[in-house]
Amino acid sequence: MDAAALLKYSLDASLFQVQACYNGLSPEAAQARPIAGMMTANEQLEHLCEVCQAVLTQAAGGTHAWGEFVIPDEWKQDRMGTYTALRQKAVDTLMSEPQEPQLKMGINYLSLHEAYHVGQLVTLRLTLEPEWNSYSIYPNH
């Protein structure tokens, strides 16, 4: 397996985990903040959208202004759909020229960063719904 194939596998796995964390999450739970200082599930998804935008900006040679990204109101109607579409655009951009800078950006900004948020989202889900199956973030489980 070459580096590009490994990155693609990692990106697919982290997307699966993010989506699993939101599967069945109620709108009320998505806005809850049961742990002080932790972003809500909605805030985390909007943050992941910003990261995808940062990938697109930086891949085009620009500099992303962190913290200035605001998710448009119309995107809030389907946060997950918005995130997956924006993320796919970022992945397509990185994989179109999978050289070292793009591979590193995919690992750091998407795969590893999403894994970090998956840990937070699992904690959030278990805090709100102790019966939630945290093993659901793994394929074929």
Side-chain angles (χ1 to χ4, degrees):
M1 180 181 288
D2 67 7
L6 184 58
L7 174 59
K8 182 69 170 97
Y9 174 83
S10 179
L11 292 171
D12 290 346
S14 63
L15 176 61
F16 179 89
Q17 289 187 335
V18 168
Q19 290 174 324
C21 288
Y22 286 92
N23 189 26
L25 184 67
S26 72
E28 297 78 27
Q31 295 178 43
R33 191 182 316 277
I35 301 170
M38 184 182 282
M39 286 188 270
T40 69
N42 279 348
E43 289 168 340
Q44 290 189 56
L45 201 51
E46 290 177 14
H47 171 67
L48 292 175
C49 285
E50 178 176 17
V51 172
C52 293
Q53 184 59 57
V55 167
L56 293 168
T57 300
Q58 290 183 211
T63 302
H64 182 73
W66 289 101
E68 293 183 16
F69 177 83
V70 177
I71 190 168
D73 285 339
E74 61 271 15
W75 289 11
K76 292 180 181 183
Q77 301 306 312
D78 182 14
R79 282 179 176 86
M80 183 55 71
T82 296
Y83 163 67
T84 55
L86 195 55
R87 186 184 188 276
Q88 188 60 55
K89 195 172 176 183
V91 168
D92 289 347
T93 297
L94 295 175
M95 298 306 291
S96 70
E97 237 183 287
Q99 302 303 313
E100 186 175 336
Q102 291 83 0
L103 296 171
K104 286 181 177 179
M105 198 180 313
I107 290 167
N108 291 323
Y109 281 75
L110 298 177
S111 184
L112 290 176
H113 185 248
E114 288 169 342
Y116 163 79
H117 281 283
V118 165
Q120 289 188 358
L121 290 163
V122 167
T123 301
L124 188 75
R125 285 294 297 261
L126 289 173
T127 301
L128 294 168
E129 306 168 38
E131 71 288 348
W132 181 70
N133 179 9
S134 61
Y135 293 103
S136 68
I137 67 168
Y138 302 107
N140 303 316
H141 192 273

